[in-house]
Amino acid sequence: MIRISDKPTKRVEHFTGTITMAFPGIENKVWNFTVLRSTNGVTTFAVQADHEQFQQHIDDGTHFDFCTTILEETVKANLAKEQAEWKPAEK
C-alpha cells in the first residue's frame, strides 16, 4: 500500500497586483502582474508580467521581452526590500 501525506510540504499562493512604470514610447503606465509566493520552510517569490496586456501595447518581440523582464525584476526587487503594499483585493 502507498501512503501519501494529506498535508502539502510546499504551498504556492497567487496574488495579482499593479505597478506604475513608464517605458519609452509606450503610453500605458499601469501594468498588471502576478506574484507567486512559495512557502517550503523559506518564502520565495516569482513574478509573472501580464503578457496579454503587454502584447496590446508592444509589437516588437525584443522590446516585449525587455519590458516584461524589467517589470518582473523591479517587482521582485521591491518584494525583497519589503516595499510592496499587501492589501486585500477589492470586491
Side-chain angles (χ1 to χ4, degrees):
M1 173 181 245
I2 297 174
R3 293 179 190 247
I4 300 173
S5 172
D6 61 352
K7 295 181 181 171
T9 57
K10 185 172 184 176
R11 187 174 75 194
V12 178
E13 299 170 291
H14 297 249
F15 300 90
T16 58
T18 60
I19 187 171
T20 302
M21 286 185 73
F23 293 103
I26 301 171
E27 257 185 66
N28 189 55
K29 304 290 185 239
V30 179
W31 302 97
N32 303 319
F33 60 88
T34 301
V35 173
L36 306 173
R37 181 169 66 184
S38 300
T39 307
N40 187 16
V42 174
T43 300
T44 59
F45 296 101
V47 178
Q48 296 174 339
D50 182 344
H51 286 226
E52 288 182 22
Q53 181 187 25
F54 272 91
Q55 288 172 342
Q56 294 172 4
H57 299 281
I58 302 173
D59 296 328
D60 178 8
T62 303
H63 198 177
F64 176 90
D65 290 339
F66 176 76
C67 290
T68 56
T69 300
I70 291 295
L71 180 138
E72 292 167 355
E73 293 301 319
T74 299
V75 172
K76 284 194 283 188
N78 280 276
L79 290 168
K81 294 285 187 179
E82 296 182 2
Q83 295 179 345
E85 182 178 339
W86 294 85
K87 61 181 184 179
E90 296 175 18
K91 292 183 180 182

